[in-house]
C-alpha cells in the first residue's frame, strides 16, 4: 500500500514520520494527529474509527499553499 505520513503543525505542516503498511497491517492515529495517506489508483482500504467523525470538527491542509480548510461531514479528501 502507499506511504502513510504523520505531520506536525508549526507555521506550516512539517512531516515527522513516513512509513508503509504492508497488507494485513493497520495504522493508528491519536485524536488530533495530522496524517495523510498516499495510495495508488484503484487501491482499497478499510477505515475503522472509534467515534462518529461527523460529530468532530476536522480540517484539511493544502500543503502547496498552506491553506487550512474546514471539512464537512462525509468529506474524505
Amino acid at each position: 500500500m502507499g506511504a502513510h505520513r504523520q505531520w506536525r503543525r508549526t507555521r506550516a505542516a512539517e512531516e515527522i514520520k513516513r512509513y508503509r503498511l504492508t497488507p494485513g497491517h493497520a495504522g493508528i492515529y491519536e485524536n488530533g494527529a495530522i496524517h495523510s495517506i498516499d495510495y495508488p489508483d484503484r487501491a482499497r482500504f478499510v477505515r475503522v474509527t472509534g467515534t462518529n467523525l461527523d460529530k468532530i470538527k476536522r480540517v484539511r491542509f493544502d500543503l502547496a499553499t498552506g491553506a487550512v480548510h474546514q471539512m464537512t461531514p462525509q468529506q474524505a479528501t
Side-chain angles (χ1 to χ4, degrees):
M1 197 120 187
H4 292 247
R5 299 176 186 177
Q6 288 182 274
W7 304 83
R8 173 179 36 238
R9 185 175 181 188
T10 54
R11 288 187 175 183
E14 173 188 352
E15 186 175 327
I16 57 173
K17 184 177 180 181
R18 181 186 296 220
Y19 57 97
R20 288 197 177 276
L21 291 177
T22 56
H25 288 88
I28 185 168
Y29 303 102
E30 297 297 330
N31 290 342
I34 302 170
H35 64 277
S36 64
I37 303 171
D38 180 22
Y39 48 89
D41 290 342
R42 303 182 65 170
R44 296 180 183 170
F45 58 91
V46 176
R47 181 178 188 157
V48 178
T49 62
T51 190
N52 182 352
L53 296 180
D54 291 349
K55 308 289 185 193
I56 297 173
K57 286 187 177 182
R58 299 186 299 153
V59 294
R60 178 175 49 87
F61 298 91
D62 184 327
L63 295 176
T65 66
V68 179
H69 304 278
Q70 185 70 45
M71 293 177 65
T72 58
Q74 304 299 318
Q75 185 179 7
T77 58

